[in-house]
Amino acid sequence: MEEPKNLQAIMGLITHSGNAKSCAMEGIQEAKQGNFKAADKKMEEAHNELENAHNSQTSLLSKEASGENIEITLLMVHAQDHLMNAITFCDLAEEFIDLYKDK
């Protein structure tokens, strides 16, 4: 079987998005324990992972914008789902951490 085109960018989206979500969850857990510096550090890591995921996505968007035909596969849709979930989860994690800080 032939390796799907753009596999590296697609896997970057999945990997970095998953890492971002995991870091955000760890941030919530740290805040729950009152460890706000650690929570902030975890959220910084989450945002760095989101930036890496966005870079993977941008590489695909740039190719398409320059006229390259980008095949939409189930794996690519899956990767985009991971990114959108990670963004939403990180946004909500920030809110949870703020709530724990205000407690």
Side-chain angles (χ1 to χ4, degrees):
M1 184 170 152
E2 185 180 328
E3 183 176 292
K5 197 172 183 183
N6 299 309
L7 183 61
Q8 185 174 359
I10 292 168
M11 294 309 292
L13 267 169
I14 293 170
T15 302
H16 292 297
S17 296
N19 290 347
K21 186 177 174 190
S22 293
C23 288
M25 179 57 88
E26 291 171 8
I28 293 170
Q29 296 302 316
E30 290 290 353
K32 198 174 187 179
Q33 299 298 317
N35 303 326
F36 300 114
K37 281 189 179 191
D40 290 342
K41 181 160 177 42
K42 284 296 178 183
M43 290 310 301
E44 183 180 326
E45 290 175 29
H47 290 294
N48 287 338
E49 289 290 344
L50 281 180
E51 184 176 335
N52 289 333
H54 274 289
N55 290 341
S56 293
Q57 183 186 50
T58 299
S59 74
L60 294 168
L61 293 171
S62 295
K63 287 178 182 180
E64 186 167 356
S66 68
E68 184 176 327
N69 183 31
I70 302 295
E71 181 184 1
I72 306 299
T73 64
L74 183 58
L75 190 59
M76 184 179 292
V77 172
H78 179 69
Q80 292 294 325
D81 283 344
H82 270 277
L83 177 58
M84 293 308 300
N85 280 325
I87 291 168
T88 302
F89 196 90
C90 287
D91 289 345
L92 288 172
E94 293 283 359
E95 294 298 322
F96 276 105
I97 291 168
D98 284 346
L99 285 172
Y100 281 117
K101 283 180 181 177
D102 291 340
K103 223 173 145 180

